[in-house]
Amino acid sequence: MTAATAPAAALEVRDVVVRFGGHLALDRVSLTARPGEVTGLIGPNGAGKTTLFNVVTGLQAPQRGTVLLDGRDVTRLAPYRRARRGLARTFQRLELFGLLTVAENVELAASVRGRRRPGRSADEALELVGLRDLADVRADELPTGKARLVELARALATGPRVLLLDEPASGQSEAETEEFREVLLAVAGEGIAVVLVEHDVQLVMRTCSQVHVLDFGRVLAAGTPEEIRGNEAVIEAYLGAAPGVPA
Amino acid sequence: MTALGPAPAPAPPAGDPVPAPPLVELRGVRAAYGTIEVLHGVDLSLMPGEVLAVLGPNGAGKTTMLNVLAGLHPLSGGDVFVAGRRTNGASAADLARVGLCLVPEGRGIFPNLTVRENLRMAAHAGHDPRAVEEAAYERFPRLAQRRRQLAGTLSGGEQQMLALARGLATDPAVLVLDELSMGLAPLVVEELYGQVAELARRGVSILVVEQFARVVLGVADRAAIMLGGRVTDVGAPDEIESKLSAAYLGG
Amino acid sequence: MDQFLQATITGIATAAILAVAASGLVLTYTTTGIFNFAHGAIGMLGAFAYWQLRFDWGWPAPVALLVVLGVLAPLLGVAIELVVMRGLHDAPEAARVVVSVGLLAALLGLGLWVWPTDVARPLTRFWGNEHISVLGVRLTWHEVVAILVAAGLALGLRALLYGTRAGLAMRAAVDDRALSMLNGARPHRSAVLAWAIGCTCAALAGILISPAIGLMHVNLTLMIVNAYAAAMIGRLRNLPMTFAGAVALGLLDAYALTYLPTDSILLAQFRFAIPVILLFAVLLVLRQDRLRGHAARSTREVVPRPGWSGSLATAALFVAAGVVAAQITSAPDAVAVQKIVAVAIIALSLVPLVGFAGQLSLCQMSFAGIGAVVMAHHGHGGDPVGLLLATVVAGAVGALVALPTVRLAGIYLALATAAFAMMLDLWIFGLRDFEVGPLSISIFGTGSVAVDPIDVPGVDSAHDRLVFLSVVFALLYLLVVAIRRSTFGQRLLAFKDSPAASATLGVNTMLVRLAVFTLSAAMAGFGGALYGGTLGAVSAQNFAFAQSLPLLLLAVVGGIGTAAGALVAGVLVGGLPLLVEVAPWFENVNRVLPGTMGIALGRNPNGIAHQIRVGLAPLRRQPALLAGTVAGVAAVVGLRLAEVLTGTPFALALAAVPAAGGLAAQVLAARRAAGATATEGPDDVPLEWAGIVRPFTAEEVATMDRVLGLERRPEPTPSLAGAPSGVSAPARTAAGAGR
Ligand SMILES: Nc1ncnc2c1ncn2[C@@H]1O[C@H](COP(=O)(O)OP(=O)(O)OP(=O)(O)O)[C@@H](O)[C@H]1O
Ligand SMILES: Nc1ncnc2c1ncn2[C@@H]1O[C@H](COP(=O)(O)OP(=O)(O)OP(=O)(O)O)[C@@H](O)[C@H]1O
Ligand SMILES: [Mg+2]
Ligand SMILES: [Mg+2]
């Protein structure tokens, strides 16, 4: 794909640095995500993937670097303002509103979007992830796997331009992961830029058009899944001969 | 005599091996949240020194079953036996002290304690805190670098390592692992299952719940399928693997 | 310069005592997760107990000290943990704080009961006035001891918390109770120990400080607010910073005493407001909290989403009850009932704030007071403009109070509201008329001001007013229902669950908090203006901090997720004093009662209303029985109107009919359930109906014990492989487990 035909990046992260005391969690990390594509972000535990999501969503202020949403600098904006500009995420550790029902969780997200921005209604979002039946269940009663789907539906109901998913398939069985992948591709097909953090390497390799590999806070490699799979450094640091990666 | 070792089997008549009694046994276990019952009579047994994998779709009740076993959730029916003794109603602390160690799903750490303090909590089950710390750092060098950090600020995978480190380093008699691989990088998972197999060879009995069926079936001696609050199938791993997709579709 | 030095050294001595109090607070917070509002009350009891032994009974000081600090205070701590806190470890933060508020009220009541205020109780310093000279400044031995104790405590507590196994276990239990048990720790024991130590610290502070401020119940109990300010500088967890805070406070206080002019009306009482002002200053400079994620908990909180039809029926019921009450009361009684309804309106303002958003306000009566004052000055003749103004002013003040804390964790808002209430009590409400620039402000004038009841066409008699107030309550109730059902209500609940997730969905969490606090303050101001009207003349006492506490407490006890809690609070706060007028002996009971009810909350964190709803639920599913019950109630009321049934029998009958209806419904439903599933046996009879349709099974007894918090001794731990149940684990490890 040449630069001329590539759509403008929906999310662009430039040279982000995050330091916790003496520990450099992110070291000049840059990343772009384009509409309509699923961009993978993988790396060993503690590489800085979640920290990068926190920087993008505004929960963690970077020491240096910029975050651009649709070309506009949002580095200093409060989290909720970024969300209103079309940024949505899910959490590695579930963050559902347990006091509310599944339907209310999603309705809340849709109501924040307002009528100005297009997006799914709460019902449509639930339909998409196949959880219509559970609409009236209190969210804190859900088993983990279903809860992950509700988080996805909730993020979708905000009508996002950019969707950050932090280990959405963890705690899901292979069959469930497969269904999840279908949803993901459908969502990307609507022109949403999806960034996927996942340790299920097979899922990442089969779904993403671009994959970035983080290690010790740095971008170790970036490229197509094939390039990444063949990359010695990545195999060494992360992939190993894991059963999830067909050779 | 060990507290939780397999009870000494009565001397078997020569030439006729009596199967060892199970170390952990659930008989008709029922449990509920409020008035909603989610375990409808679970039967399952764990033999000494084996790795037993429990698989099943979301919401089957696996986590609830493990919590009942470890004394965290009350039973509303049935019995739990550990080493031949009924443990219904025994507190989690007592069970921990006699060597039954549960690494819970998700949040297995104290977020406002440092990594080191988290490991040192093992002292309450009678372990030497320093030895536990050493063993943990050896197994997970990442934790050694982060020993003074509050556990709640660790990355998801690091938290899971910390939770597992406690279980693996305290050398329990029965190790119960809920979703071991959750949030861990593939290299780490592979390596951990190697260690699980190794522990089992050394005599630890291991009950592991896992979504990642393929990996765990590689090391398990036996496997069980849990569906809708019951154990529907127990058998050899390859046997179970073939029944698995049907179970998921039906469930 | 001399004066400065004198002030400095006195300040440090005060600081030492504050530090002792504040570190006890930090200790309890770190080891139990409860911000203990009763800390000062415990210190007060300690000081009184010491006075009793040392001065009334003439025991030698060391013995008296030993008994108080070594026996009584720890015992109180153990009792608090066993009786009050045990059931609460998993309850929502609001419920836990409220219980400590209840404890405050109960202990204060107890202190007043045991040691009535009519006796003077001099409590002298240790070693009388003997002193040493430091740099030419007098320093009594008492002060020297205080400084040494503070320093020793600082080191000791740090060592305890961070250097010992017990300290580690206590902190771990706060973080994750279940997990600490999985580690083999015993959180029950840790909690008992934590409370015992916390109470000892409190008693020590009480004994040290009493000679300086006098052995007075309320002053000692509320001295705690100064300690909050110090603890807050240490973010409630950091001991060294807490000590620094105490020093800053002590010095400021001493300098204020030395240098502030005493002749200004505005500043006369200003000194007492210093800690409060410092507290707000600290709030402004504290670093913003990272947005909190979801907290792991296993107690289910219930905040129902009521439907419109049911809510309208309930509102109609409120109005009907008002009409009936107006029919059957004499004019003075009608005024008394008006007060109850007015207090219930104020309490209703807590529902969106506490019930939905999980934020605490300990100054709701202060807002009501502001409303009443505004009404007094601008609502002459019951001018509705006065009511409107009361609402707006209270709301605006509420916004100002909340503004500095919206960035911070919930507990800071609760502390800020307590501080605000104290500031009004100690300073603002005591001010005579004064002018700020062009604005001339009057509050309670010379002590009390008259408030005219709101003027509504056609509402003339006391009875009419009662009906009018019931209608207002019903309307506000519907407003609260509307809030719960709106997306604003969803945001409040969402915020309570996970601020981080709310923010990343686009919810402006600070604005939401500010909005709900403002709304709540405005409602309280509105209610206060009406309440003032029912009182006729209002003074600062009507709206003191001490009034806000039972209001919050009883609203939560009633069930803060719904309007029923507000009704309970209204009946008890507004109604109990009436009972005292009838039966004077009730006064002491009344003092302890709200507190003990707060304690009962520990058994049922969702409140009485939830319990009642569960009890009456089957009735709603049985139209015939429901109609019968309604008819029964109507009949009872009819008999009352015909003056056949009056007084206590009437009240009993009124309560008995719905209760009987509920019970009958349960029995019927149970029959039906049993009939439908006869083949499946007892398992399918819901727990509530078991015992009615058939005897309880052993399992159900166990379940109920669990639900009611009556723990059974578990069956003895398996003494695996024959070892006694307390088998030492090291022995096991040494032997090589399972090998
Ligand atoms: N508040 C903090 N203080 C100190 N260190 C921190 C803090 N937050 C994160 N870290 C460290 O920064 C590193 C990056 O963490 P991050 O959560 O981004 O990892 P991750 O790539 O998401 O890993 P995982 O796959 O395990 O979720 C980790 O080593 C973590 O311990
Ligand atoms: N706190 C709770 N309150 C009410 N119901 C609950 C609660 N926790 C779990 N459940 C219900 O109990 C059932 C079993 O849940 P459990 O967590 O044991 O399943 P699981 O097999 O571990 O699922 P997963 O694979 O998602 O972890 C589910 O249907 C769930 O909805
Ligand atoms: Mg992560
Ligand atoms: Mg589970």
Side-chain angles (χ1 to χ4, degrees):
Chain A
M1 194 185 284
T2 66
T5 56
L11 170 70
E12 189 173 352
V13 175
R14 283 193 204 144
D15 285 334
V16 164
V17 174
V18 172
R19 191 187 292 279
F20 297 111
H23 178 68
L24 201 52
L26 291 178
D27 185 6
R28 282 166 295 152
V29 171
S30 302
L31 173 143
T32 47
R34 294 180 206 290
E37 291 182 12
V38 182
T39 307
L41 181 60
I42 58 177
N45 294 121
K49 305 179 294 294
T50 302
T51 306
L52 186 63
F53 274 14
N54 286 345
V55 168
V56 172
T57 50
L59 295 179
Q60 171 73 50
Q63 265 84 20
R64 260 185 49 197
T66 40
V67 178
L68 305 175
L69 260 184
D70 281 327
R72 286 205 285 185
D73 187 347
V74 297
T75 320
R76 307 254 155 263
L77 285 191
Y80 75 91
R81 291 187 174 265
R82 304 184 194 205
R84 290 183 187 177
R85 293 199 178 178
L87 183 64
R89 78 175 283 183
T90 66
F91 291 84
Q92 182 171 6
R93 167 152 293 158
L94 287 164
E95 294 286 354
L96 280 180
F97 304 129
L99 288 170
L100 300 176
T101 63
V102 167
E104 279 183 305
N105 265 279
V106 184
E107 275 165 23
L108 172 70
S111 80
V112 179
R113 180 188 77 224
R115 289 195 194 81
R116 277 164 299 151
R117 273 219 321 272
R120 287 194 168 72
S121 71
D123 257 2
E124 288 162 355
L126 277 181
E127 182 73 61
L128 184 70
V129 298
L131 286 184
R132 262 271 184 68
D133 309 345
L134 294 179
D136 292 325
V137 175
R138 252 177 73 142
D140 57 1
E141 294 175 7
L142 294 174
T144 327
K146 298 274 185 271
R148 292 228 180 263
L149 290 177
V150 178
E151 260 203 19
L152 176 65
R154 194 174 68 175
L156 286 175
T158 64
R161 297 262 302 126
V162 176
L163 178 59
L164 311 179
L165 302 174
D166 202 347
E167 301 196 19
S170 93
Q172 309 241 34
S173 66
E174 280 157 68
E176 288 161 334
T177 305
E178 199 49 40
E179 282 170 35
F180 175 78
R181 180 169 172 268
E182 302 289 310
V183 175
L184 206 60
L185 289 174
V187 166
E190 291 167 10
I192 296 177
V194 180
V195 183
L196 175 66
V197 165
E198 197 31 85
H199 288 301
D200 183 341
V201 178
Q202 206 173 31
L203 174 66
V204 173
M205 295 299 181
R206 287 170 55 221
T207 319
C208 299
S209 50
Q210 285 286 311
V211 177
H212 295 244
V213 186
L214 275 187
D215 190 23
F216 289 110
R218 294 183 185 215
V219 180
L220 185 67
T224 61
E226 290 71 38
E227 288 164 6
I228 296 299
R229 214 176 315 200
N231 186 316
E232 287 297 324
V234 177
I235 293 176
E236 165 97 4
Y238 183 62
L239 299 177
V245 203
Chain B
M1 186 55 226
T2 74
L4 240 189
D16 184 13
V18 173
L23 186 51
V24 172
E25 190 178 2
L26 306 178
R27 271 193 218 148
V29 165
R30 290 163 178 268
Y33 292 97
T35 50
I36 303 166
E37 190 173 272
V38 296
L39 297 186
H40 313 289
V42 172
D43 296 299
L44 191 68
S45 49
L46 175 69
M47 297 300 166
E50 77 167 343
V51 178
L52 172 63
V54 177
L55 307 168
N58 259 267
K62 305 179 295 291
T63 299
T64 311
M65 175 184 76
L66 299 192
N67 286 344
V68 167
L69 169 60
L72 284 182
H73 193 96
L75 308 100
S76 43
D79 292 300
V80 179
F81 295 89
V82 178
R85 280 160 185 81
R86 219 160 74 107
T87 63
N88 303 11
S91 92
D94 288 333
L95 288 168
R97 284 168 184 230
V98 294
L100 185 134
C101 175
L102 167 68
V103 177
E105 173 184 39
R107 204 174 248 272
I109 53 138
F110 300 103
N112 291 305
L113 303 186
T114 63
V115 168
R116 158 182 276 157
E117 286 173 330
N118 263 277
L119 292 169
R120 294 199 156 210
M121 276 303 287
H124 288 275
H127 306 285
D128 173 12
R130 221 158 276 145
V132 171
E133 240 188 298
E134 300 273 289
Y137 295 155
E138 194 181 321
R139 203 165 250 126
F140 302 104
R142 255 214 103 78
L143 293 181
Q145 301 159 13
R146 321 228 63 84
R147 64 180 83 185
R148 296 174 157 277
Q149 190 173 323
L150 290 186
T153 64
L154 291 174
S155 86
E158 288 165 349
Q159 295 188 8
Q160 181 68 1
M161 289 179 198
L162 179 58
L164 286 167
R166 176 177 69 81
L168 300 177
T170 54
D171 204 6
V174 179
L175 184 57
V176 183
L177 302 168
D178 199 354
E179 311 252 348
L180 172 147
S181 68
M182 202 187 249
L184 291 174
L187 259 182
V188 182
V189 174
E190 197 185 353
E191 144 108 38
L192 268 174
Y193 271 110
Q195 297 188 8
V196 163
E198 168 64 24
L199 276 178
R201 265 196 296 282
R202 295 203 338 238
V204 179
S205 315
I206 298 170
L207 178 58
V208 50
V209 163
E210 185 61 88
Q211 294 284 4
F212 236 175
R214 229 173 319 150
V215 200
V216 70
L217 289 177
V219 297
D221 299 311
R222 285 192 311 145
I225 295 182
M226 198 163 173
L227 213 83
R230 288 193 176 86
V231 171
T232 53
D233 245 312
V234 190
D238 42 354
E239 207 176 297
I240 291 298
E241 183 160 23
S242 60
K243 291 184 184 160
L244 209 52
S245 59
Y248 278 83
L249 291 178
Chain C
M1 192 59 219
D2 222 24
Q3 206 186 12
F4 179 76
L5 207 61
Q6 175 75 53
T8 305
I9 291 183
T10 321
I12 288 183
T14 314
I17 298 169
L18 267 182
V20 174
S23 53
L25 209 50
V26 170
L27 175 85
T28 319
Y29 189 65
T30 320
T31 55
T32 64
I34 295 176
F35 189 89
N36 185 14
F37 277 90
H39 197 73
I42 296 166
M44 178 270 294
L45 285 186
F48 272 93
Y50 176 71
W51 172 86
Q52 186 72 47
L53 300 182
R54 173 76 185 87
F55 296 97
D56 204 24
W57 296 347
W59 296 14
V63 179
L65 269 183
L66 196 70
V67 170
V68 173
L69 297 181
V71 182
L72 295 180
L75 275 182
L76 179 63
V78 173
I80 290 177
E81 155 60 18
L82 291 183
V83 180
V84 186
M85 301 295 173
R86 180 133 293 189
L88 282 172
H89 51 79
D90 244 355
E93 177 163 18
R96 292 189 293 167
V97 172
V98 163
V99 168
S100 86
V101 169
L103 197 61
L104 181 160
L107 294 181
L108 182 59
L110 186 71
L112 286 164
W113 193 348
V114 179
W115 292 284
T117 44
D118 49 11
V119 188
R121 295 188 186 81
L123 183 69
T124 53
R125 297 183 166 84
F126 298 126
W127 300 283
N129 284 328
E130 279 178 49
H131 61 272
I132 53 170
S133 271
V134 180
L135 302 173
V137 179
R138 258 175 60 115
L139 198 58
T140 64
W141 274 108
H142 188 93
E143 288 164 338
V144 174
V145 167
I147 293 172
L148 291 180
V149 166
L153 207 58
L155 298 176
L157 289 184
R158 225 190 133 66
L160 170 73
L161 284 181
Y162 298 96
T164 66
R165 247 178 75 167
L168 180 58
M170 287 190 258
R171 290 188 292 133
V174 173
D175 249 16
D176 190 329
R177 221 182 129 78
L179 185 62
S180 83
M181 288 172 71
L182 288 178
N183 273 279
R186 309 214 185 260
H188 279 334
R189 284 190 206 165
S190 292
V192 167
L193 184 65
W195 280 101
I197 301 176
C199 283
T200 306
C201 285
L204 187 60
I207 294 173
L208 283 176
I209 204 171
S210 296
I213 69 173
L215 196 52
M216 287 181 290
H217 303 86
V218 177
N219 292 15
L220 280 171
T221 301
L222 296 186
M223 169 212 75
I224 196 66
V225 173
N226 300 18
Y228 298 160
M232 213 182 255
I233 293 175
R235 299 217 101 169
L236 308 182
R237 286 188 187 279
N238 184 332
L239 283 169
M241 282 306 281
T242 301
F243 272 74
V247 170
L249 262 178
L251 289 179
L252 272 178
D253 183 61
Y255 295 148
L257 190 65
T258 316
Y259 295 111
L260 271 188
T262 47
D263 50 356
S264 148
I265 315 178
L266 253 184
L267 297 181
Q269 299 286 322
F270 179 72
R271 183 187 150 218
F272 299 110
I274 287 179
V276 175
I277 290 169
L278 185 73
L279 193 146
F280 273 98
V282 171
L283 287 177
L284 284 174
V285 298
L286 278 182
R287 210 153 37 92
Q288 176 166 11
D289 285 308
R290 266 187 79 128
L291 285 172
R292 178 179 60 81
H294 184 71
R297 219 188 273 128
S298 63
T299 301
R300 257 172 74 95
E301 198 178 340
V302 182
V303 185
R305 185 183 190 186
W308 273 122
S309 57
S311 303
L312 283 170
T314 312
L317 201 67
F318 289 145
V319 176
V323 171
V324 170
Q327 293 294 316
I328 62 183
T329 46
S330 64
D333 284 353
V335 175
V337 181
Q338 275 180 37
K339 286 184 199 162
I340 292 182
V341 181
V343 174
I345 290 175
I346 302 175
L348 199 57
S349 72
L350 286 167
V351 173
L353 183 69
V354 187
F356 301 166
Q359 305 287 304
L360 284 180
S361 162
L362 301 177
C363 65
Q364 221 58 7
M365 277 312 233
S366 309
F367 292 135
I370 291 171
V373 166
V374 172
M375 186 71 193
H377 295 296
H378 301 279
H380 301 291
D383 190 349
V385 174
L387 185 62
L388 188 69
L389 213 55
T391 313
V392 172
V393 172
V397 175
L400 279 179
V401 174
L403 204 52
T405 65
V406 289
R407 304 172 305 129
L408 303 168
I411 186 71
Y412 291 98
L413 178 62
L415 292 175
T417 58
F420 173 71
M422 293 289 290
M423 180 162 83
L424 292 193
D425 277 12
L426 294 174
W427 184 33
I428 306 281
F429 277 176
L431 291 176
R432 301 285 161 80
D433 303 356
F434 62 94
E435 286 175 10
V436 183
L439 221 57
S440 121
I441 295 181
S442 44
I443 304 184
F444 287 111
T446 51
S448 82
V449 289
V451 185
D452 296 328
I454 181 86
D455 179 45
V456 184
V459 174
D460 303 312
S461 66
H463 294 122
D464 295 350
R465 286 226 166 75
L466 176 53
V467 175
F468 170 71
L469 282 181
S470 323
V471 172
V472 172
F473 180 82
L475 290 177
L476 283 177
Y477 161 74
L478 291 177
L479 174 69
V480 171
V481 170
I483 291 174
R484 169 64 186 90
R485 294 180 57 88
S486 70
T487 55
F488 179 56
Q490 288 177 357
R491 286 174 204 199
L492 295 178
L493 285 144
F495 173 80
K496 174 156 66 173
D497 259 338
S498 173
S502 303
T504 55
L505 286 175
V507 177
N508 183 347
T509 50
M510 293 191 204
L511 191 64
V512 164
R513 279 177 87 186
L514 193 62
V516 70
F517 197 81
T518 306
L519 172 85
S520 167
M523 279 175 75
F526 177 88
L530 296 177
Y531 181 50
T534 68
L535 290 173
V538 295
S539 66
Q541 276 77 41
N542 296 120
F543 304 103
F545 180 42
Q547 301 289 321
S548 293
L549 299 184
L551 189 76
L552 172 66
L553 181 64
L554 293 171
V556 175
V557 169
I560 192 65
T562 62
L567 263 187
V568 172
V571 169
L572 293 177
V573 176
L576 285 181
L578 305 178
L579 202 55
V580 174
E581 279 167 30
V582 188
W585 58 266
F586 191 70
E587 171 146 25
N588 278 326
V589 178
N590 184 28
R591 284 210 177 108
V592 236
L593 193 65
T596 40
M597 297 197 60
I599 292 168
L601 186 65
R603 300 274 169 271
N604 178 18
N606 282 314
I608 297 171
H610 178 64
Q611 213 65 347
I612 294 178
R613 196 190 346 268
V614 171
L616 291 184
L619 192 57
R620 292 178 57 177
R621 277 177 250 123
Q622 312 212 3
L625 210 51
L626 183 62
T629 310
V630 172
V633 172
V636 173
V637 171
L639 289 177
R640 174 63 185 82
L641 287 180
E643 311 252 324
V644 178
L645 201 61
T646 54
T648 317
F650 161 70
L652 287 180
L654 199 58
V657 172
L663 203 65
Q666 294 194 352
V667 174
L668 262 180
R671 286 250 170 81
R672 227 168 266 171
T677 61
T679 46
E680 292 213 20
D683 287 333
D684 290 81
V685 179
L687 196 57
E688 305 95 276
W689 309 328
I692 299 174
V693 285
R694 59 172 170 73
F696 289 113
T697 65
E699 287 155 29
E700 281 158 359
V701 172
T703 313
M704 279 185 297
D705 284 349
R706 201 174 62 243
V707 171
L708 299 172
L710 305 172
E711 271 189 59
R712 289 235 162 162
R713 281 236 42 85
E715 289 178 39
T717 313
S719 52
L720 305 155
S725 84
V727 62
S728 79
R732 182 192 62 73
T733 315
R739 237 153 290 155

